[in-house]
Amino acid sequence: MSAAPIPADIHTLADYERHAAARIAPATWAHIAQGNTPANRAAFASRGLLPRPLADLRQGSTATTLFGQRHAAPILLAPVAYHRLVHEAGEIASAQGAAALDTTMVVSTLSSVPLEDIARATRDAARELGHAAPPPGWFQLYTQPDPAQSLALVRRAEEAGFAVLVVTVDAAVKRADFALPPGVGAANLAGFAPQQHRTGTLNGQVVFGSPLAQTAPTWETLAWLRRETALPMVVKGLLHPADVIRARECGADGVIVSNHAGRVLDGVVPALAMLPAIRAALGPDFPLLFDSGVRSGADALKAMALGAQAVLVGAPQLHALAVGGMAGVAHMLHILRTEFELAMAQCGCTQTSAIGPDLVVPTGF
Amino acid sequence: MSAAPIPADIHTLADYERHAAARIAPATWAHIAQGNTPANRAAFASRGLLPRPLADLRQGSTATTLFGQRHAAPILLAPVAYHRLVHEAGEIASAQGAAALDTTMVVSTLSSVPLEDIARATRDAARELGHAAPPPGWFQLYTQPDPAQSLALVRRAEEAGFAVLVVTVDAAVKRADFALPPGVGAANLAGFAPQQHRTGTLNGQVVFGSPLAQTAPTWETLAWLRRETALPMVVKGLLHPADVIRARECGADGVIVSNHAGRVLDGVVPALAMLPAIRAALGPDFPLLFDSGVRSGADALKAMALGAQAVLVGAPQLHALAVGGMAGVAHMLHILRTEFELAMAQCGCTQTSAIGPDLVVPTGF
Amino acid sequence: MSAAPIPADIHTLADYERHAAARIAPATWAHIAQGNTPANRAAFASRGLLPRPLADLRQGSTATTLFGQRHAAPILLAPVAYHRLVHEAGEIASAQGAAALDTTMVVSTLSSVPLEDIARATRDAARELGHAAPPPGWFQLYTQPDPAQSLALVRRAEEAGFAVLVVTVDAAVKRADFALPPGVGAANLAGFAPQQHRTGTLNGQVVFGSPLAQTAPTWETLAWLRRETALPMVVKGLLHPADVIRARECGADGVIVSNHAGRVLDGVVPALAMLPAIRAALGPDFPLLFDSGVRSGADALKAMALGAQAVLVGAPQLHALAVGGMAGVAHMLHILRTEFELAMAQCGCTQTSAIGPDLVVPTGF
Amino acid sequence: MSAAPIPADIHTLADYERHAAARIAPATWAHIAQGNTPANRAAFASRGLLPRPLADLRQGSTATTLFGQRHAAPILLAPVAYHRLVHEAGEIASAQGAAALDTTMVVSTLSSVPLEDIARATRDAARELGHAAPPPGWFQLYTQPDPAQSLALVRRAEEAGFAVLVVTVDAAVKRADFALPPGVGAANLAGFAPQQHRTGTLNGQVVFGSPLAQTAPTWETLAWLRRETALPMVVKGLLHPADVIRARECGADGVIVSNHAGRVLDGVVPALAMLPAIRAALGPDFPLLFDSGVRSGADALKAMALGAQAVLVGAPQLHALAVGGMAGVAHMLHILRTEFELAMAQCGCTQTSAIGPDLVVPTGF
């Protein structure tokens, strides 16, 4: 695959977004841009980093251990559906870009390339680049109407070598009003009966009393999945402190605090606003990741100061993929990691474990 | 009546507003757009919904009982004057759209079609659609200078089968500087002596010492109406906790918290800001509805979390009517109801009675 | 003087401002528009009025007594310099417009027409209109470098029949970078030696050590003026609670809380923000007026709810004068008074003395 | 050097910025405009000045003593790199403009003219202007990878007659993505080995484990510098109260609270927000200056009210230099000083030592 040249004026993730907006078809762009990003961004802007110059930086590292595996930096690629919407090679290119940076990609159930192919492309790219032991990918599960289908996806993920199972729980009930263009589809669900969306029905209940209500995942689904797989299980999409506690009781090995970038529930609270209370509820050690609105290394550091052990970025993957393909994704990750390391260094942190709430203060005073 | 085709890019009430702005004459649009909608919207934006995934949604329903009648959803059409300003069929089309969705319409004293015709159109539409027992309409009363005229309106509403009397108390004293176009008028007031507006008088008192002050409704008016009708009486336009208590003491069966969309009093407080204190004053059970600024199902859920048992939407009726006639109103209501049900489901609420203050948090933190 | 026709689309003071911007020369407009109006406006927007419908409005009145004189409404014309900047007839037209509405005009030391002519025009207009006992004008004093000059102005004001002496204390020290056009000047100061402004001097002190510091008014100046005149003395331009107390101790009969519309001190606190603390310091009865940012009757009511007994409007005079001459000023005052009366009525107040802090609430919640 | 004529419509620093934007090459402008100025500006806007009219201003002065030297006003030129980016004469013109106003210039390590030439130009200009004892310049040190290089810079500064050594500690770790145009460079570092920036390296650590981490200044560096020079040592770039205390313990004679205008750390807290806590930590007397976002004399007064004894302005130097060369810098300083003196006078302060926290209040109420 020939790499697209990356425009010389791209220095930040915002630059990628600007360039991508000019390259992506309007309907697809509108679909990608959905969500309450302004509210999420405002939450980040409400906290400022407090630099700590003159620290000794010689033993520093951004390395982070999650579920027993070392990550070069606490920044992962969030599960994002249908990469082929913006680039012909889809998740293959993204996975290769992630592999180039030793970054963990969380592969979506709704990937537009089969999960096995993504896993293979990741391994191949790492081998070609001579990377010793790159972190294996994680697989994100949307539970399916038929439990057997959910289980089939889990088994395929296990066999393909994914290291962690991320169960997304906040998007089972939503409107689907975006029509996928020809040639783009849910590659992992080929052969499954299509899930019923009834939002087009006039004057009927949409969720309640519909098949959706029968098949949406519940706490019991979580407990069942826990029994069915030995993979570390991470629950994504919880915002209430009581819910993360309950997820832990159901056997979750970690949680991803996320408001799905505001794409699922109009008027949802910014995810960042709930982070401190959730960390307080969980205590200092339970694995807690954050997703929703991260657009810079400084954002990543703020989220970690407020309680996360790592962050995931979503939409910027598609922006970078649209603009620069595999190289774009790698470059975008490099920008993010560079910004993060600089921010850590400027805040006097030499280990991610040292990142704490004293690094941020309200910007208002 | 032939239905106007609804533009394919309408997915939200904001889309209807955007399309309507291009179709309505500027003076009429300015009249409709009056009010402190930005302040009302800011109040909604200051609270975020807190999703609760993984709840069991199988027994869910949006059904709500108000004054002994079942409503498919806690979303009503607020009283809005002069529908014929934007569509030739006026309230007839709106009523048919509401009937198609089993939605209660609150017919305004200032309807541009006689209230009896609206009631009949509602029943006819429900029968044609095969709806079993649609909720009957409510009638909104602006008290008239002559009590006999007020009473005549109440009697007509009773005879036409309206189920609830809504007494609007916050607009008796206001400026009237919009000239109705030819062919649009207050159909229910035909034959009444025109109410005197003296705002054109230079250097005289406008309210105080004018006939207006003699005839504006008072607490005594409310008590009098209570004695005169057996219909449930709901007072619309109160914002002070002490006033809703007094309305209840005067025999009101319910209240609608509203700032009249800010159309009557410049600089009025956002209605949503007063909702929690009013619910606290009334206790948990007294019927309390909310109107002013609702533009989505998420807004409806927020208002209910802060104390309302149902909400009403105003201006969006005219937007939808202008764009799509009867079908537009029905579609607008369907959007709203779908959004509301999805929001309820995502917040783990399966009954409207379970909606409470823990569903919302401040978006700032 | 022939009256300019008032554009039909003017319904608010903002409409006057918009029309005026198109009629006034850019440099003059920039001079008039100076100040921190946005900050003053934001202060007003931060408080919402709380309506109280259903009150008995029959005995209502906006009448207000200030220094023993009855005012039809608690809204005065603030002292504004050089009316001839925007209309050939200058203060004569404004005074006639004010007289038509029985409104008190505070004539500026820097009026572009002699104070005696303004007083005479006011009386003539009132007589022609058949007004019984219109409130006499007030005179605003900028103390002059030579005390004899200040005293001469006071004596002229007394002889011309002005009823109150307003001493402005917050503008003695300021930059003067606006060049008056030919034919416009300080009519009352003709024959006085020009005041030295040294802001053009490079590298010298501007105030400190300059003649300005010798001649700027001090607390002693206030005490001296108190001894020299029997007129009620009102001090304008204080914002600190301790300063209003001290002004009262110096013999002031009232104060006008004002930040000079932010025209004198960049970054000054919004005047409204200081009002509650000042009223608290003064107790409930001491005469306290408010000036800075009032643009509607609702604003006037908010300022009164927060502690003022009356308000003054400044820049809108020039807007209305530029657009409609005498008739414009009268119409602008009528808009303001109508809005104020409607707001009072909607808030259930029938007497200005009943206006209190419970009428406003923070718009944020 | 012939002076560029200064546009007649420049009255404020914002006017200079506007004119400069039209004269500076886009890439250079983008480089200069970097940083979180909006956040710094919002912090200033959140506090309002509280005027205190009627004070006796006769003994007033803006004079301020810093490190034993008298300054005409507490406003200095912050260290700014590469003045030749916007004007051919570079720091020579700026220094002459500063000398004309008896203003202390803090010369940057990254000046585009050798520090000795700047010192000489300052002295020559002062002599030509007949200034008695203008405050000598200060020198700002970026420590170099090789301590001998740092020491060489200190020795040169001492020999050139600089009076204070400012050690900037917050920019050792940053991205450098601006390419200097031909003919502009770090004149003081000519002959030094270029510092290694590794931000271009894909997939490597940028700071941690790089030569940067070995050579970035630490608290030990500060202590070492303290031992090596007898000049007063001021540490610039601290924002945490604990860090300023530690700097004092390391022998610092003063600190400059600064967030480097937000140019170094994305998402950094506004410097002004940390000022009160830092002053509280240091007690009332320790020399504390402020830099970041000052754009007017009112801003300077606010920063001093919140704890600073003097302020520095950065980017406005380049704006004024680009627009008016030496005369522009002098004029810009004159504007600032005039505004500051007027603000002091209006707030009733006749000595800078009397400026305290009671001069500012939150603009929200």
Side-chain angles (χ1 to χ4, degrees), chain B residues 71-290:
Chain B
H71 296 250
I75 300 172
L76 291 78
L77 292 188
V80 172
Y82 308 125
H83 288 209
R84 293 192 62 216
L85 280 172
V86 301
H87 192 279
E88 203 184 6
E91 287 82 359
I92 298 294
S94 307
Q96 292 172 329
L101 270 286
D102 273 356
T103 301
T104 297
M105 176 175 177
V106 186
V107 172
S108 170
T109 287
L110 297 177
S111 62
S112 52
V113 170
L115 63 93
E116 291 82 1
D117 297 357
I118 302 170
R120 192 178 315 115
T122 303
R123 278 192 302 271
D124 291 352
R127 192 180 322 115
E128 275 183 45
L129 291 158
H131 291 185
W138 298 7
F139 181 73
Q140 176 268 339
L141 177 71
Y142 281 127
T143 58
Q144 301 298 308
D146 179 349
Q149 293 173 340
S150 299
L151 213 49
L153 287 167
V154 173
R155 295 290 169 257
R156 285 170 63 188
E158 291 169 342
E159 283 168 36
F162 287 94
V164 170
L165 182 71
V166 174
V167 185
T168 299
V169 298
D170 64 353
V173 171
K174 64 168 178 176
R175 286 215 286 191
D177 49 17
F178 176 66
L180 290 172
V184 179
N188 298 322
L189 308 185
F192 289 5
Q195 191 168 350
Q196 291 202 355
H197 287 295
R198 288 187 31 180
T199 59
T201 311
L202 201 64
N203 204 15
Q205 299 273 319
V206 176
V207 182
F208 302 144
S210 80
L212 217 53
Q214 303 293 331
T215 58
T218 64
W219 293 104
E220 283 66 44
T221 316
L222 215 56
W224 166 74
L225 280 167
R226 173 68 301 171
R227 292 190 301 270
E228 290 291 342
T229 183
L231 287 179
M233 182 173 80
V234 175
V235 182
K236 174 170 180 285
L238 299 176
L239 287 170
H240 196 294
D243 284 345
V244 295
I245 295 296
R246 187 162 175 189
R248 183 170 64 180
E249 290 167 358
C250 285
D253 299 293
V255 291
I256 301 177
V257 170
S258 167
N259 69 4
H260 217 110
R263 298 170 64 83
V264 169
L265 175 57
D266 174 49
V268 68
V269 65
L272 197 71
M274 300 308 299
L275 197 43
I278 290 176
R279 171 52 75 195
L282 286 173
D285 296 324
F286 191 74
L288 169 56
L289 289 79
F290 179 83

Side-chain angles (χ1 to χ4, degrees), chain A residues 141-190:
Chain A
L141 178 71
Y142 281 128
T143 57
Q144 301 298 307
D146 179 350
Q149 293 173 340
S150 300
L151 214 50
L153 287 168
V154 173
R155 295 290 168 257
R156 285 170 62 190
E158 291 168 343
E159 284 169 33
F162 287 95
V164 170
L165 182 71
V166 174
V167 185
T168 299
V169 297
D170 64 353
V173 171
K174 64 168 179 176
R175 286 216 285 190
D177 48 17
F178 176 66
L180 291 172
V184 180
N188 299 321
L189 308 186

Side-chain angles (χ1 to χ4, degrees), chain D:
Chain D
M1 175 180 22
S2 73
I6 295 173
D9 64 345
I10 292 187
H11 303 294
T12 66
L13 270 59
D15 294 331
Y16 265 116
E17 182 168 6
R18 183 169 44 85
H19 275 274
R23 298 181 185 215
I24 296 179
T28 301
W29 179 257
H31 173 70
I32 293 174
Q34 258 185 333
N36 73 342
T37 306
N40 279 329
R41 301 300 306 140
F44 277 104
S46 77
R47 289 298 182 280
L49 290 171
L50 187 46
R52 305 297 301 265
L54 297 175
D56 184 336
L57 302 174
R58 281 172 294 182
Q59 302 304 318
S61 164
T62 58
T64 303
T65 297
L66 296 168
F67 308 111
Q69 294 177 337
R70 185 185 182 279
H71 297 249
I75 300 172
L76 291 77
L77 293 188
V80 171
Y82 307 123
H83 289 209
R84 293 192 62 216
L85 280 172
V86 302
H87 191 280
E88 203 184 6
E91 286 83 0
I92 299 293
S94 307
Q96 292 172 330
L101 269 287
D102 274 356
T103 301
T104 297
M105 177 175 176
V106 186
V107 172
S108 171
T109 287
L110 298 178
S111 63
S112 51
V113 170
L115 62 93
E116 291 83 0
D117 297 358
I118 303 171
R120 191 177 316 115
T122 302
R123 277 192 303 271
D124 291 352
R127 192 180 320 116
E128 276 182 45
L129 292 157
H131 290 185
W138 298 7
F139 181 74
Q140 176 267 339
L141 178 71
Y142 281 127
T143 56
Q144 301 298 308
D146 179 349
Q149 293 173 339
S150 300
L151 213 50
L153 287 168
V154 173
R155 295 290 168 256
R156 285 169 63 187
E158 291 168 342
E159 283 168 35
F162 288 95
V164 170
L165 182 71
V166 174
V167 185
T168 299
V169 298
D170 64 352
V173 171
K174 64 168 178 176
R175 286 216 285 190
D177 48 17
F178 176 66
L180 291 172
V184 180
N188 298 321
L189 308 185
F192 289 5
Q195 191 169 350
Q196 290 203 355
H197 286 296
R198 289 189 29 183
T199 59
T201 312
L202 201 65
N203 204 16
Q205 299 273 320
V206 176
V207 183
F208 302 144
S210 80
L212 218 52
Q214 303 293 331
T215 58
T218 64
W219 293 104
E220 283 67 42
T221 316
L222 216 56
W224 167 72
L225 280 168
R226 174 66 302 172
R227 292 190 301 270
E228 292 289 342
T229 183
L231 288 179
M233 182 173 80
V234 175
V235 181
K236 176 171 180 282
L238 300 175
L239 287 170
H240 196 294
D243 284 346
V244 295
I245 295 297
R246 187 162 176 189
R248 184 170 63 180
E249 291 168 357
C250 284
D253 299 292
V255 292
I256 301 177
V257 169
S258 167
N259 69 4
H260 217 110
R263 298 170 65 84
V264 169
L265 175 58
D266 175 48
V268 69
V269 64
L272 198 71
M274 300 308 299
L275 196 44
I278 289 176
R279 172 50 77 196
L282 285 173
D285 296 323
F286 192 74
L288 168 56
L289 289 79
F290 179 84
D291 158 281
S292 287
V294 172
R295 291 294 181 271
S296 71
D299 291 344
L301 188 56
K302 288 179 187 177
M304 293 177 69
L306 293 168
Q309 283 158 357
V311 303
L312 305 96
V313 288
Q317 293 174 55
L318 296 188
H319 303 156
L321 184 61
V323 173
M326 167 193 162
V329 173
H331 181 228
M332 180 275 289
L333 285 168
H334 183 253
I335 290 173
L336 215 42
R337 202 180 287 179
T338 298
E339 291 175 342
F340 177 73
E341 191 190 342
L342 287 166
M344 263 188 75
Q346 285 156 354
C347 289
C349 286
T350 53
Q351 308 298 333
T352 55
S353 58
I355 298 169
D358 50 316
L359 288 191
V360 291
V361 286
T363 49
F365 76 115

